[in-house]
Amino acid sequence: MVQLGYFTLDTLDIEKARAFYGALFGWRFDDAASGPAYAHVADSDPAFGLTKVERAKDFSHLYFRVDDVDALCARVVELGGKAAIPSDSPSGRSVVVSDDQGVSFSLWKPAAGY
């Protein structure tokens, strides 16, 4: 079986991304494993980090499992991001949002069984 072992989120500005995601999700960063073009998220499973890119490109679309889609949707907007209107489906409640640099991702509270 192949499983995700590590991933990175591309960003145009490491410091802005650290501030945004730290404030939204409470992520802490391991400064000893980070640098000017990379920020490693501490104590994550699976392990991941933020990688600086020079220009916008196609970003992978990630779904972050959360407890309260609506509260975090409002927090995204407070932090300078944008949010669509949350919706419900058989797989749960979700919303597409973007950070303050325009990188989109989804917030998702899975339905039972997902």
Side-chain angles (χ1 to χ4, degrees), residues 4 21 27 36 50 57 60-62 83 85 105 108:
L4 181 64
Y21 292 104
W27 292 351
L50 307 170
K57 59 182 181 177
S60 296
H61 193 83
L62 301 173
I85 298 170
F105 58 94
W108 174 55

Side-chain angles (χ1 to χ4, degrees), residues 10-13 51-59 103:
D10 290 346
T11 182
L12 298 172
D13 186 315
T51 301
K52 183 178 182 345
V53 295
E54 295 302 318
R55 60 185 175 88
K57 59 182 181 177
D58 292 333
F59 298 96
V103 177

Side-chain angles (χ1 to χ4, degrees), residues 29-54:
F29 297 89
D30 180 350
D31 291 332
S34 300
Y38 180 75
H40 179 74
V41 178
D43 304 318
S44 58
D45 184 23
F48 71 100
L50 307 170
T51 301
K52 183 178 182 345
V53 295
E54 295 302 318

